Amino acid sequence: MESSGLEGKVLEMFEVGPCESAYQMGFLIGQRFSNLIRSRLARDFILQDQLLPFAQTPLAQPLLKALADNNKKKFPSYWDELIGTAEGSGVPVLHIILINFRKEIVPFLPKNKLISTADSPDDCSDVLIVSDSMAMVAHNEDANVALVGHTYLIKGMLSNELSFIAYTYAGELPSCAFGFNSHGLAFTLNSVPPVEDEIVAGGVGCNFISRDLLEASGIDDAVTRIHSSEASVGHSYNLIDIRTRKILNVETASMNRISVREVGATPFFRANMYLHLPVQQVQDDNSVSRQRRALVLPKTSKNEFLSLLGDMADAKYPIYMTGPILYTLCTAVIDLDEQTFSIIEGNPKKGEASHIFTMSSKEFKMPQ
């Protein structure tokens, strides 16, 4: 990748709310990050070369209508937030709809038109543990090269006094990646690759489900929200509750299928394959390779977790990714005992956090 100056950009945080409406919240976010959203859309070759041409075809119309109708009905306020984001940033609503429903649309692209990288999963890696001596999650946020330098943090404050911080892809709902709220609930996400037969066309989008998690009152409420979501495409959710010192890995598939596994003292590494929900899935060599590599690396301390997520020993499928297509955008570290949420930019082996939030204070600020 040619140096664009985007890699060295500081991750910005925007505080927004309480707002009179969800639309206004979206509008203010879109307005604040208009340049970043426009830049991301221009560089997003999956949008430009695949989704936009498909959206002009008769074949796409029933799918796009079902996605709009079903998500608007299930989550009207988040739909308003999405429309607000588009109108605040001054980009076509269709473009914002397409990037927010990429996971729900790509499986239905005509196979003869599909560029192979369009349906490669967003690869994320997590290592999780809850033992007597430590309780933490470390997560690599891996995404397409188009997202490098095109993310931001939203600190949202709602009228019901709930607040959240969400790592957000430019133009998408907060958060398709990771976030936490003032109830002490955090989450990280991993995509999974179900085969086409396992996907329900026009169901509820992953981005809407994870936006809803930001408003969950606790870990049980989060599981309920996931289970009742009528998702189109399966997903993997790592739910973290600092109040109960509990971590759950939740795998889902369409038709409300769900499997919940509590994380214990044995370190649990997950990439982007289903591990405990029986679902037909596409073999993802990248994910299998990372899973195999993580098995042999030590996982007994915070430093070892970060070294694992910074591992580049496998040149073809490294755990820490530096292109040409997939990049590790950052690493999130949630320490349940310190009650901190940290974001590391650059290889986590170096371990220097650019942002540290305390999850136990309403303002999320670190004590000086």
Side-chain angles (χ1 to χ4, degrees):
M1 178 190 169
E2 75 281 4
S3 178
S4 58
L6 290 169
E7 289 176 63
K9 277 193 63 167
V10 176
L11 183 64
E12 290 183 61
M13 185 163 84
F14 178 49
E15 297 192 17
V16 61
C19 295
E20 288 170 20
S21 65
Y23 175 87
Q24 187 193 27
M25 179 176 263
F27 189 92
L28 291 171
I29 293 169
Q31 193 174 50
R32 171 66 179 76
F33 292 108
S34 173
N35 290 342
L36 219 51
I37 292 169
R38 289 164 180 269
S39 172
R40 182 252 164 113
L41 295 180
R43 288 163 182 267
D44 191 329
F45 66 85
I46 296 172
L47 172 69
Q48 298 295 341
D49 301 345
Q50 303 279 304
L51 300 177
L52 277 171
F54 175 65
Q56 310 308 323
T57 65
L59 185 65
Q61 303 322 304
L63 176 62
L64 295 178
K65 185 177 187 313
L67 285 169
D69 290 349
N70 290 331
N71 284 272
K72 197 185 300 185
K73 184 180 173 192
K74 176 82 177 169
F75 294 119
S77 63
Y78 306 150
W79 182 265
D80 289 348
E81 196 177 309
L82 181 144
I83 301 301
T85 303
E87 295 184 352
S89 62
V91 303
V93 170
L94 176 64
H95 294 203
I96 295 296
I97 288 173
L98 292 174
I99 61 170
N100 275 277
F101 289 115
R102 179 176 61 85
K103 287 185 175 72
E104 290 73 29
I105 297 171
V106 164
F108 299 99
L109 292 174
K111 292 294 171 266
N112 60 333
K113 301 268 173 58
L114 192 65
I115 298 170
S116 61
T117 50
D119 64 346
S120 65
D122 301 324
D123 290 301
C124 294
S125 299
D126 281 75
V127 56
L128 315 97
I129 190 170
V130 179
S131 70
D132 291 343
S133 58
M134 62 188 285
M136 67 175 291
V137 173
H139 166 91
N140 275 2
E141 184 61 31
D142 307 320
N144 187 283
V145 58
L147 273 308
V148 174
H150 292 107
T151 61
Y152 41 80
L153 292 171
I154 297 298
K155 180 179 178 183
M157 288 156 283
L158 306 182
S159 51
N160 63 3
E161 299 200 339
L162 177 83
S163 48
F164 62 76
I165 287 181
Y167 183 85
T168 306
Y169 289 10
E172 298 191 34
L173 288 172
S175 162
C176 69
F178 56 81
F180 68 95
N181 70 19
S182 50
H183 290 306
L185 179 85
F187 63 83
T188 68
L189 305 173
N190 311 84
S191 60
V192 284
V195 297
E196 199 176 314
D197 293 350
E198 299 276 8
I199 297 168
V200 172
V204 171
C206 291
N207 279 17
F208 281 74
I209 298 165
S210 52
R211 171 65 186 82
D212 195 42
L213 288 183
L214 288 169
E215 302 194 17
S217 60
I219 203 160
D220 295 335
D221 183 37
V223 172
T224 300
R225 287 171 188 246
I226 292 167
H227 197 189
S228 63
S229 61
E230 299 148 44
S232 170
V233 180
H235 218 50
S236 170
Y237 302 85
N238 303 303
L239 303 177
I240 301 108
D241 192 336
I242 63 165
R243 294 180 304 188
T244 58
R245 201 173 182 266
K246 190 175 189 179
I247 302 173
L248 300 177
N249 175 245
V250 181
E251 293 184 346
T252 68
S254 58
M255 295 174 285
N256 286 345
R257 288 169 291 169
I258 188 168
S259 172
V260 181
R261 173 180 287 186
E262 184 164 355
V263 174
T266 304
F268 180 59
F269 177 85
R270 69 157 307 122
N272 300 91
M273 299 290 287
Y274 283 102
L275 297 178
H276 46 96
L277 182 67
V279 170
Q280 282 186 282
Q281 59 184 327
V282 179
Q283 185 72 2
D284 176 22
D285 293 339
N286 186 330
S287 201
V288 171
S289 172
R290 282 178 288 134
Q291 200 83 37
R292 198 178 294 132
R293 175 67 182 152
L295 204 58
V296 301
L297 291 172
K299 296 175 282 292
T300 61
S301 69
K302 191 174 202 166
N303 285 344
E304 288 178 351
F305 275 30
L306 295 178
S307 285
L308 184 159
L309 291 183
D311 186 78
M312 301 174 72
D314 187 321
K316 189 176 182 187
Y317 298 128
I319 294 175
Y320 184 81
M321 303 180 190
T322 56
I325 293 170
L326 292 168
Y327 273 76
T328 300
L329 302 177
C330 65
T331 301
V333 181
I334 302 125
D335 188 316
L336 284 75
D337 294 326
E338 289 181 0
Q339 302 197 336
T340 55
F341 195 112
S342 309
I343 298 172
I344 300 169
E345 297 179 85
N347 192 306
K349 277 184 180 177
K350 303 186 181 84
E352 290 169 25
S354 59
H355 298 74
I356 303 174
F357 302 101
T358 176
M359 291 175 66
S360 52
S361 90
K362 192 147 192 307
E363 292 299 305
F364 306 136
K365 296 218 167 54
M366 282 302 286
Q368 295 303 311

